[in-house]
Amino acid sequence: MNGFTRKITAAIPSLLLCASLSGVPTMSYAETTNPNDPVSMVKEWDKTFPKSDKVEHRKVSFHNRYGITLVGDLYLPEDRGDRKLAAIAVSGPFGAVKEQSSGLYAQTLAEQGFVTLAFDPSYTGESGGYPRNVASPDINTEDFSAAVDFLGLQKEVDRNRIGILGICGWGGMALNDAAMDTRVKAVATSVMYDMSRAMGHGVGNGKDRYTTADRRAVLHYLNEQRWKDAENGRYAPGGHDIYVDGKGNVTAAERVLPETLPANPDPVLKEFFDYYRMPRGYHARSVNSTSAWNATMPLSFMNMPLLSYANEITIPTLIVTGEKAHSRYFAEDAYKAVGSKEKELVIVPGANHVDLYDNAAGKIPFAKFEQFFKTHLR
């Protein structure tokens, strides 16, 4: 056995462990199963909103720069003729799928004359990538750029008139992408979260929740979980909002939302529960509706601030949030950080965070989004 063969042989146990931890079956070289392929490509209409007769719908797939196949819904105006149109890529909320809020936003904007693409981010929904139920500030920012790649290759699209729209946690991803991808001509967010701030400093009532000691306790908790995952050969599920009590004890739920709503629930928990766990917004592929992220997922966000370069965003920027949204401070601080001279903060009167997920309360300012993109994607 030569030295090269000995090195490869020694590496095999490590490769098998990696395969086991990722949840990917060990494969021989003769097998062709690709963990980055789509999970599914459901053709039937399985959205949480009705299909519009003003829009043509196509199920599509495309690859990001890491080789992961993303699955999306492309919406085109029925009366588009032969014109090349402006286009908008849409994703979010965090833990949702394209059959929920992002699809509603995309279809509604397509009714107003845009080509739109709602997509499932990597590792979630119908998109590929293993292990499942993972989020990443880097890869999910790239997902937006991959959507721009796809849109710019469509014959119906003017590639010089592409914008992006991020909802909830994908608002921060959209702003991060807008600071990096010079092909994006306009960016909008709706009830945005900065997920690196949310996980790294705790979602509070108008301000960060963690002290420095709390943050260190959370990091210790997550890294101890890494030992457990390595020993068990699998990734444990867990909620991404982690709690630290006054004595420094750390706890996290085993799923994003409970099976049933507790008595006298926190109002924000009730908002999310009434959308994701009820027929109004429930979807079987949604992390928030059915399960949890990988418990260690927050580590990726803890020391990688998404909005570090927000001051370099020079394109038109629209930031929309609710007057009563618990996330309002994220939007207001992001607005201050954005460097564009053409930026606008819109606060929807009386709206909480989840009011802008669907139009059950009639509060999503679709006319404002339409006006913004028509003005800046001319």
Side-chain angles (χ1 to χ4, degrees), residues 242-258:
I242 300 171
Y243 297 89
V244 186
D245 67 18
K247 297 181 180 180
N249 299 310
V250 180
T251 56
E254 293 185 355
R255 50 181 296 144
V256 175
L257 291 170

Side-chain angles (χ1 to χ4, degrees), residues 32 102 130 245 258 268 352 354:
T32 58
S102 61
Y130 283 87
D245 67 18
V268 175
N352 63 32
V354 176

Side-chain angles (χ1 to χ4, degrees), residues 162-239:
I162 298 177
I164 59 177
L165 193 166
I167 306 163
C168 182
W170 258 259
M173 311 290 187
L175 292 175
N176 192 37
D177 193 60
M180 177 271 296
D181 194 330
T182 57
R183 302 170 302 168
V184 176
K185 304 306 181 186
V187 58
T189 70
S190 184
V191 286
M192 69 152 288
Y193 260 66
D194 173 351
M195 293 311 302
S196 51
R197 182 178 178 183
M199 285 185 260
H201 298 277
V203 180
N205 184 16
K207 62 180 181 180
D208 297 342
R209 190 172 78 232
Y210 295 159
T211 64
T212 300
D214 291 342
R215 181 176 157 81
R216 295 304 299 175
V218 170
L219 285 168
H220 177 76
Y221 170 85
L222 292 171
N223 284 297
E224 286 299 306
Q225 183 62 50
R226 291 190 67 131
W227 285 126
K228 296 175 184 177
D229 289 351
E231 290 168 353
N232 295 331
R234 60 182 178 81
Y235 293 109

